[in-house]
Amino acid sequence: MQQAQQFARLHNFVLFEQPSPNHVLQLRFNADRLALYDSELNSSIDVDFIQGALAHREKFGGGKGQAIARAVGLNKPANRGRQLTVIDATAGLARDAFVLATLGCQLTLVEQSPVLVALLQDGIERALLSGDGHHAVHNFTNLVHAGSALYMEHMDADSHPDVIYIDPMYPERKKSALVKKDMQILHKLIGAAQDEQHLLETALQHATQRVVVKRPIHADPVAGIKPSTQISSKKTRYDVYVINP
Ligand SMILES: C[S@@+](CC[C@H](N)C(=O)[O-])C[C@H]1O[C@@H](n2cnc3c(N)ncnc32)[C@H](O)[C@@H]1O
């Protein structure tokens, strides 16, 4: 209750002690976890690194051969034996970030939405309290509530990361039945990406090795800015911008 009161006060949100019938999206402070509930879909999203799909991927995932690993450059000889530093400039539910963390990258998560930051904080705390000392969540070194372009512009020169990863919101698909419920909820909360060009241009000035942009497989590169290379998996493409090749 105290946590809910503090959060509502900080962000100027209305606090109800019972579920409200009049609000489509509701952040629910439940006993065991924080969740974002969608009353139209009767479904909710939360962040869980201990059980479910992410934990499964941590145990049985595709290793350094998977597309996202190749995109960030984990296979490069120069990166063998060192821990890559990555800023995830669009953290969202940190699913991609978690995959990178399981592969040994050290992650700074930056997210503009206070609701998602609260969900992430809750998921990270639960994972750390679970007592699994080897958990990849330990590779999340920082969770920042900020617009990423501003965050990058204010970084010290010696803290520029090897890689900046950007996953802008895809445009909303008309056939919503084809879109998973969690993505529909995220879309209602955030809407479509608006500043992806600025984000990419800023990232290109602040990564030391590369910038990676996740795109739908047939989409144009962000703002027509041609990547150095593209790595595709089934539905997703990673546009890779190599700095000083
Ligand atoms: C498609 S989601 C990212 C999903 C994420 N890759 C994952 O695996 O869960 C995009 C997220 O980026 C955030 N975002 C978009 N532009 C941003 C910006 N300029 N600064 C910080 N966060 C941003 C949105 O609020 C949203 O949560």
Side-chain angles (χ1 to χ4, degrees), residues 18-28 35-39 44:
Q18 298 295 327
S20 157
N22 302 324
H23 294 82
V24 174
L25 291 181
Q26 308 172 13
L27 193 57
R28 291 189 171 176
L36 181 64
Y37 176 72
D38 182 325
S39 57
S44 61

Side-chain angles (χ1 to χ4, degrees), residues 89-96 111-112 116 146-148 167 169 190 195:
T90 52
L93 297 165
R95 292 171 178 175
D96 294 332
E111 172 54 53
Q112 66 187 2
L116 286 168
S148 287
D167 173 16
M169 295 292 292
I190 308 291
D195 64 345

Side-chain angles (χ1 to χ4, degrees), residues 6-146:
Q6 277 174 357
F7 186 83
R9 210 174 309 128
L10 185 64
H11 298 292
N12 227 0
F13 290 165
V14 187
L15 180 65
F16 295 91
E17 291 190 18
Q18 298 295 327
S20 157
N22 302 324
H23 294 82
V24 174
L25 291 181
Q26 308 172 13
L27 193 57
R28 291 189 171 176
F29 290 76
N30 299 320
D32 78 317
R33 69 185 53 204
L34 196 59
L36 181 64
Y37 176 72
D38 182 325
S39 57
E40 284 173 345
L41 295 172
N42 190 23
S43 179
S44 61
I45 49 176
D46 58 38
V47 175
D48 193 340
F49 300 113
I50 309 166
Q51 292 167 339
L54 283 178
H56 185 270
R57 193 151 172 195
E58 181 177 17
K59 286 200 185 89
F60 308 109
K64 293 189 177 171
Q66 59 192 307
I68 190 170
R70 287 185 284 131
V72 298
L74 275 167
N75 286 334
K76 293 277 150 215
N79 288 331
R80 288 215 186 105
R82 60 183 291 273
Q83 196 172 28
L84 273 187
T85 54
V86 180
I87 290 181
D88 184 343
T90 52
L93 297 165
R95 292 171 178 175
D96 294 332
F98 187 69
V99 172
L100 293 173
T102 63
L103 295 169
C105 298
Q106 197 181 83
L107 271 295
T108 293
L109 309 177
V110 189
E111 172 54 53
Q112 66 187 2
S113 158
V115 172
L116 286 168
V117 170
L119 292 175
L120 286 170
Q121 179 92 45
D122 180 68
I124 291 170
E125 279 170 9
R126 245 180 305 113
L128 293 176
L129 286 173
S130 75
D132 178 355
H134 301 290
H135 209 279
V137 163
H138 287 280
N139 284 339
F140 291 163
T141 49
N142 220 347
L143 168 62
V144 184
H145 177 206

